[in-house]
Amino acid sequence: LYNLFVFFVARDRNYLFYISYLLVNLILYDLSAIGFGGEYIWKDSLLPFSYYTIMDILVALAVLINLIFLSYFLDLQKTLPKVFVINRWMYFTSIGIAIINLFGLSQNIPFTQLFIILSALYILSILIISYVKKVKRARFLLIGWSVY
């Protein structure tokens, strides 16, 4: 709620992406990972998806929102335009992974797990490159991501 209040007061779109990230990652994904989501929320729903399919879709959406937040927070279009183009391709990859999992096309192929590892390394490398290029905001994210 605090970040939502800050968004309305400051009118900074970074807070909106951060709130979206928190909603998808910390609430929906964690509900799935812990098991509360499958047990209490969508257990008896009409969704034809398995527990793991929902988790894989939420992971892809969390990565997508995280990449969008990173792009706007670090202003990659101005600070690192080549990385911004790569970031756009990562958006499409995230959406593709979500669609592959939605339609069950990833039978016994760990697309999502590989994507998580590669996207985490990609995000860390963007933060390190941004920090080296003297983007001031990158310092805070680099500290947070190093601990996370």
Side-chain angles (χ1 to χ4, degrees):
L1 290 176
Y2 169 76
N3 288 308
L4 188 61
F5 175 74
V6 171
F7 167 70
F8 285 122
V9 171
R11 301 278 183 210
D12 187 359
R13 134 173 67 171
N14 291 317
Y15 284 102
L16 186 61
F17 292 123
Y18 183 67
I19 293 165
S20 301
Y21 169 74
L22 289 176
L23 178 68
V24 170
N25 190 45
L26 298 179
I27 296 174
L28 295 177
Y29 176 72
D30 284 350
L31 280 176
S32 296
I34 294 171
F36 290 145
E39 183 67 28
Y40 298 110
I41 298 174
W42 50 78
K43 177 181 180 184
D44 296 324
S45 69
L46 300 175
L47 294 175
F49 308 116
S50 73
Y51 167 77
Y52 296 107
T53 302
I54 291 173
M55 281 187 54
D56 288 345
I57 292 169
L58 290 174
V59 165
L61 292 177
V63 169
L64 174 65
I65 291 171
N66 200 354
L67 289 169
I68 293 171
F69 168 71
L70 183 75
S71 183
Y72 281 99
F73 187 75
L74 296 178
D75 198 13
L76 291 179
Q77 192 169 11
K78 291 180 185 174
T79 58
L80 299 167
K82 291 180 183 177
V83 172
F84 180 73
V85 172
I86 296 170
N87 221 28
R88 289 287 176 128
W89 284 102
M90 290 293 287
Y91 296 168
F92 294 120
T93 305
S94 297
I95 294 167
I97 294 291
I99 290 171
I100 285 171
N101 286 308
L102 180 68
F103 291 110
L105 302 174
S106 65
Q107 300 294 329
N108 300 322
I109 303 172
F111 283 122
T112 307
Q113 290 80 6
L114 180 63
F115 182 65
I116 292 169
I117 293 168
L118 293 177
S119 63
L121 293 173
Y122 171 73
I123 290 171
L124 274 175
S125 66
I126 289 175
L127 292 173
I128 292 169
I129 291 168
S130 298
Y131 180 73
V132 169
K133 296 275 187 180
K134 307 284 188 216
V135 177
K136 290 183 180 183
R137 290 180 161 193
R139 173 181 49 206
F140 302 111
L141 282 177
L142 185 59
I143 292 169
W145 264 81
S146 298
V147 175
Y148 184 62

